[in-house]
Amino acid sequence: MPNSPSPTGSHAVALTDRTDDRPVYVIGGGPGGLAVAASLRARGVRAVVLEKSDRVGASWRGHYDRLHLHTTRRWSALPGLRMPRGFGRWVGRDDVVRYLEKYTEHHGLEVVTGVEVTRIDRTPDGSGDWQLTATGGRVLRGRAVAVATGFNHTPRIPDWPGRDTFTGELLHAAAYRNPAPYAGKDVLVVGIGNTGAEIAADLAEGGASRVRIAVRTVPHIVRRSTAGWPAQATGILVRRLPVRLVDRAGAVMCRIAVPDLAAQGLPRPDTGLYSRVRQGAIPVQDVGLIDAVRTGAVTPVATVASFDKDTVVLADGTRLTPDAVIAATGYDRALEPLLGHLDVLDGRGRPVAHGGRSPKGAPGLYFTGFTNPISGMLREMALDAERIAKRVARASR
């Protein structure tokens, strides 16, 4: 119910009668939005978080059971509150949710649930303020807006020819929870990013009779940690080094740490690791895929070309008849309806500026959580939050 008290202890806000001081509105009650709100509050700036679901951390609550952060506990904490040591080095999904609830309570954040913002505009009076149109006929006015609706917003399944004729089960990875429903079944996972790789390993370990993974572009695979050294630490260290240097070093490290799986259908990539990162392709952090492929528990196959009733046709002409297809095919940011008219998105629908920088011609509009950096998304959102809060506080003075 809109404006109802949050189970996390956050403050309910009556939007109709508490906007006269022009707060900063933060759209999205996930890690990025909560971090921005806490950082603003620490600087004496009132921030109101608008969350369309009924609780903070909604997207995290919906992730599959097996999920753990690929980034360390230390470098995944948000500003102003460490993650408990009891969560372990690689924090699980449920503990991330508990942390976000505690974070909201600890900082006394103003979170309004059940309110979805549908459009962002400049106020018509020329004051430089921002106007938000939201559900329930609300029109809200704020001095600044931080958009934190998430990198993984709207599940995307390609419009494969014949997709609607498929007689098996077809679902996006966002709907996958655990391998129990697929015990004894033949499953095809489409997409070999981190999500697809982990779901494939989960299915193989969880009793699926056969697991194949459809590969469009061979990924770089790295160990989550090597001799206790986390891959995230390397990602932080190399972010500002020359791409060619990191590509060469990455190739050497991968040959040492990752076996050659070419015989199993997963050859080493012919492009550099960091070159791919700069294009938006993050390496797959191994949490079971290497062993699954090496032992034959997961079989790489060509990418999907089309569907034909009970059959999946691959790009190399192979025809499969799986019981289920799980599409780990990514997400859309879905920002166009919200602010596509403001000329602040690039050709792929991504914000042209993020963190403490506003897009040209849109001062007071900020974005966080729309990049997928090699140094860790939560770490970068924490840094973004501080930058945004610093910029807003300076503008307020």
Side-chain angles (χ1 to χ4, degrees), residues 24-348:
V24 175
Y25 284 107
V26 181
I27 306 174
L34 298 178
V36 170
S39 297
L40 286 166
R41 184 176 174 85
R43 287 170 172 79
V45 178
R46 183 181 173 219
V48 177
V49 179
L50 305 176
E51 167 55 45
K52 70 177 182 179
S53 72
D54 62 348
R55 292 175 291 180
V56 300
S59 63
W60 273 95
R61 298 173 192 274
H63 286 316
Y64 49 93
D65 297 348
R66 174 192 175 111
L67 182 65
H68 283 69
L69 292 177
H70 292 162
T71 53
T72 65
R73 179 189 71 251
R74 174 187 173 191
W75 285 325
S76 300
L78 303 178
L81 185 66
R82 295 181 178 180
M83 287 187 170
R85 291 179 62 87
F87 284 0
R89 193 181 199 191
W90 313 106
V91 182
R93 177 201 63 187
D94 291 346
D95 283 334
V96 172
V97 171
R98 279 190 278 271
Y99 173 72
L100 296 178
E101 292 176 342
K102 180 64 177 178
Y103 190 84
T104 304
E105 180 181 3
H106 175 81
H107 288 292
L109 302 182
E110 297 187 27
V111 178
V112 186
T113 58
V115 174
E116 182 176 7
V117 178
T118 56
R119 185 179 172 95
I120 300 173
D121 291 286
R122 280 293 195 188
T123 51
D125 60 8
S127 65
D129 285 351
W130 291 92
Q131 179 175 290
L132 280 59
T133 302
T135 50
R138 298 176 177 86
V139 178
L140 311 173
R141 181 177 184 134
R143 68 179 106 166
V145 177
V147 182
T149 50
F151 189 83
N152 296 337
H153 187 274
T154 303
R156 180 179 66 245
I157 298 180
D159 189 19
W160 290 297
R163 187 185 76 180
D164 294 340
T165 72
F166 184 54
T167 55
E169 180 183 4
L170 172 62
L171 69 153
H172 191 274
Y176 175 85
R177 293 294 174 267
N178 59 64
Y182 306 98
K185 293 186 178 182
D186 182 335
V187 186
L188 173 66
V189 179
V190 185
I192 196 169
N194 276 292
T195 298
E198 188 157 359
I199 288 176
D202 197 32
L203 288 164
E205 295 170 13
S209 64
R210 186 168 191 175
V211 181
R212 284 171 283 208
I213 187 164
V215 181
R216 183 178 62 179
T217 304
V218 178
H220 286 274
I221 303 176
V222 299
R223 301 286 188 181
R224 188 166 62 177
S225 66
T226 303
W229 179 262
Q232 182 188 10
T234 302
I236 293 171
L237 290 173
V238 305
R239 281 200 74 188
R240 304 191 186 284
L241 294 178
V243 173
R244 288 184 181 180
L245 176 62
V246 180
D247 281 348
R248 287 196 293 267
V252 173
M253 291 178 62
C254 286
R255 286 193 181 93
I256 294 172
V258 178
D260 186 357
L261 301 172
Q264 288 78 30
L266 203 59
R268 297 189 190 279
D270 56 7
T271 53
L273 184 151
Y274 202 35
S275 293
R276 292 277 294 279
V277 168
R278 296 292 291 270
Q279 296 167 2
I282 297 299
V284 171
Q285 294 205 27
D286 177 54
V287 287
L289 181 69
I290 290 175
D291 286 343
V293 170
R294 186 165 50 185
T295 62
V298 173
T299 303
V301 297
T303 191
V304 171
S306 63
F307 287 77
D308 183 11
K309 296 181 181 178
D310 66 342
T311 301
V312 180
V313 182
L314 304 182
D316 62 3
T318 302
R319 299 174 69 88
L320 310 176
T321 54
D323 297 307
V325 175
I326 300 175
T329 46
Y331 296 78
D332 291 323
R333 313 295 168 259
L335 290 171
E336 289 83 356
L338 187 66
L339 37 70
H341 56 286
L342 295 176
D343 194 27
V344 296
L345 305 177
D346 65 15
R348 296 171 61 184

